[in-house]
Amino acid sequence: MLLKLQGGKSLAHTTGHLLLILLLTEAGKTLGNAHSLCLNLTVKSQSKPGQPWCHVQGSVDTKPFLQYDSDSNKVIPLGLLGEEVNDTKAWTELSQTLGEAARELRMVLPVIKLDKKETRGPPSLQVRLCCQCEAEQCSGASLLFSLNGRTALLLDPMSITWIVIDPGATRLKDEWESNQELAEYFRKISTGDCSYWLREFLEHWENMLLPEPTGN
């Protein structure tokens, strides 16, 4: 299921398509033999002493397999899935990229302008990055951005199309849309790096992600 804009399809159709991918990956209902990898990042411009300014949790087919925080600057494996791949080259590269992405997002936070009535303390940015692979090919990707817990923007990295979910994020969308370097950075991570990590990890998880039996 490709997320490219095709002739004759409206922006509303594309938005619905992207949200459907997010809902399917969140529910673990990827289509056919597809598998999904999702990274949930929370970045704060400021944090209290002893609390990390960034936290990440990663899952494959909704099953958690890693977590990361800025205090330790380490990616910690979770469960058998994490332990199976934490000595791989892809794991090392994922660890480095998470640290870089967290710092990049934290640099973006101070320039985000929020309505005064919605500003309560330092802003926080939540990013849900998902990619889907089928037959060793990237078949879909999406990034969902929330500000202070409120869903704001959706990015289709296949076509680098920004979609406003919250009208209050229109100005932010215009700013990010004009920043081609930032959009290309998000595109590379979601359609390139993410799908590469998933393909590499699936070689180790081949017998660990079998469909669960259904009741009669």
Side-chain angles (χ1 to χ4, degrees):
M1 184 184 295
L2 295 179
L3 301 184
K4 294 181 179 178
L5 287 172
Q6 299 176 0
K9 291 189 177 181
S10 67
L11 185 60
H13 182 281
T14 303
T15 305
H17 198 183
L18 285 165
L19 290 173
L20 177 60
I21 283 291
L22 285 170
L23 290 172
L24 287 174
T25 52
E26 188 170 352
K29 296 178 182 178
T30 46
L31 304 178
N33 295 319
H35 294 283
S36 65
L37 189 156
C38 290
L39 298 170
N40 291 302
L41 300 88
T42 298
V43 180
K44 301 176 181 178
S45 59
Q46 301 176 29
S47 61
K48 297 179 181 179
Q51 294 185 358
W53 54 265
C54 175
H55 181 269
V56 183
Q57 180 159 318
S59 61
V60 58
D61 296 347
T62 73
K63 300 176 179 67
F65 76 99
L66 70 79
Q67 66 180 24
Y68 165 91
D69 68 69
S70 53
D71 279 359
S72 65
N73 196 29
K74 292 181 180 179
V75 177
I76 301 172
L78 299 177
L80 295 177
L81 291 172
E83 293 175 1
E84 186 70 22
V85 296
N86 72 327
D87 289 328
T88 63
K89 179 182 177 183
W91 181 274
T92 300
E93 294 175 355
L94 170 58
S95 302
Q96 295 172 344
T97 301
L98 283 180
E100 294 170 359
R103 291 188 290 272
E104 183 76 21
L105 291 169
R106 196 184 192 193
M107 290 176 62
V108 169
L109 262 176
V111 300
I112 294 177
K113 299 179 179 62
L114 300 175
D115 292 338
K116 291 183 179 180
K117 63 180 180 180
E118 297 181 0
T119 303
R120 297 179 180 177
S124 64
L125 176 65
Q126 297 81 38
V127 182
R128 179 172 175 81
L129 182 159
C130 291
C131 63
Q132 183 174 295
C133 284
E134 185 172 10
E136 299 186 356
Q137 296 292 325
C138 177
S139 55
S142 60
L143 289 100
L144 188 66
F145 298 84
S146 301
L147 294 170
N148 292 347
R150 185 170 177 176
T151 304
L153 294 173
L154 184 64
L155 173 64
D156 174 2
M158 296 291 204
S159 61
I160 311 186
T161 301
W162 292 97
I163 300 165
V164 175
I165 305 298
D166 180 355
T170 300
R171 181 168 56 179
L172 177 61
K173 176 253 188 185
D174 292 340
E175 292 176 359
W176 284 8
E177 196 170 44
S178 64
N179 189 337
Q180 295 183 353
E181 185 177 348
L182 182 66
E184 177 61 25
Y185 180 75
F186 288 141
R187 186 201 65 77
K188 177 181 179 297
I189 290 180
S190 56
T191 63
D193 295 336
C194 182
S195 59
Y196 162 72
W197 299 326
L198 180 55
R199 290 195 306 271
E200 291 295 306
F201 292 157
L202 285 175
E203 293 184 5
H204 299 269
W205 291 336
E206 183 177 2
N207 298 319
M208 302 175 70
L209 294 173
L210 297 176
E212 296 182 2
T214 57
N216 295 326

